Each structure stands twice: as structure tokens, then as C-alpha cells.
Amino acid sequence: MTHLDDSPAPAAGTPADTAGPGACCGLSRRGVLRGAAAVGAVGAAGVALAACSAGGGTAAASGPTTVGPTSDVPVGGGKVYKDDKVVVTQPTAGQFKAFSAVCTHAGCLVDGVSDGTIQCPCHGSRFKIADGSVANGPAASPLPSRTVTVKDGSLVVTV
């Protein structure tokens, strides 16, 4: 271990301002540097944890995910898979589409599919099931599309 300050600690009862060069408020330079190192380690750990979280605004790891059977998605409708933040639609028989379930207006999760649209409960935005385009604002941008395939009767979405 490298010593940063070899001066002895002030004796008990010695005022901090007379403890010697570099002493301030009862702290040695070594103590200040150790405290700074601890704060830096905590800060680095916080950044590492934030980078690993899937919270708002950060991109989740992408990859194929089986969300459910094709029978869950009605023709002319769709289903929201909240855990995967994806909505899968079936505009025509056998044609499946997938989109992000995060509304492009304010980041709310869409909550349903009916009457040919995907609905956001927060401000009333609606998106077309065929292509995710805006059917009714306030959203101005379409829902981002996702790749969906059918494998052994199950829907596999790249999220």
C-alpha cells in the first residue's frame, strides 16, 4: 500500500488548525483522499448499475423472444405483451406484425387493440395495426416495428 501522507495523526485534543501542514477540520490528507476514493467507487458502481438497468430511456438487450401462440392474436386485432413491451397484430389472416408497445408521444405503454387500432391510455393516441402509423394523435411518430416470425405455432419477436 502506498502512503500518501507520512505525517503522524494529531494527538487527541489537538486543535485541527494546529495539527500540521495540510490538516483541515481534523482530517489528514490521507483521510480526505480515502473519502474521495470511496465516493468515486460508489459513483462508478451507480453508473454500472444504471447501465445494466432496463429502465425508461435505455435500450434493452435485443434478441428473439417467444411471446405466445399465434392463436392469442385475433385476425383484425392484436395483443399487447406488456412484459416484453411489444404488441403483435394480425391485420389479415396469417399476416403478423409486431411493434414496440411504448407510445411515441409520452412513453406510456399501449394497453389494447380494437377497431383496427392500437390504443394508448395516457393521451388517446391510436396507431394502425397494419403498419404502426399514427391514426389519431397527439403522437406524431409511428410505433417502431419489430421483427416477428412464426415458429411451431408460436410468435417469436425480436425485441
Side-chain angles (χ1 to χ4, degrees):
M1 181 168 153
T2 303
H3 292 285
L4 300 174
D5 183 1
D6 290 327
S7 62
T14 304
D17 60 350
T18 63
C24 170
C25 309
L27 296 175
S28 68
R29 187 169 83 179
R30 180 183 300 151
V32 170
L33 291 174
R34 282 183 183 159
V39 169
V42 169
V47 169
L49 287 174
C52 292
S53 72
T58 61
S62 62
T65 301
T66 302
V67 292
T70 57
S71 59
D72 282 353
V73 182
V75 175
K79 178 173 178 163
V80 178
Y81 296 92
K82 291 181 181 182
D83 290 344
D84 297 302
K85 295 184 181 173
V86 69
V87 58
V88 178
T89 64
Q90 189 176 186
T92 59
Q95 178 191 32
F96 294 94
K97 303 282 185 167
F99 308 97
S100 167
V102 179
C103 181
T104 56
H105 172 246
C108 297
L109 204 60
V110 299
D111 70 346
V113 181
S114 65
D115 300 323
T117 62
I118 302 162
Q119 293 91 32
C120 179
C122 293
H123 301 106
S125 292
R126 294 183 184 274
F127 304 88
K128 296 177 184 175
I129 65 169
D131 59 8
S133 64
V134 177
N136 185 51
S141 302
L143 292 175
S145 63
R146 301 288 186 248
T147 302
V148 61
T149 57
V150 176
K151 183 176 180 182
D152 299 325
S154 294
L155 297 163
V156 179
V157 179
T158 301
V159 294

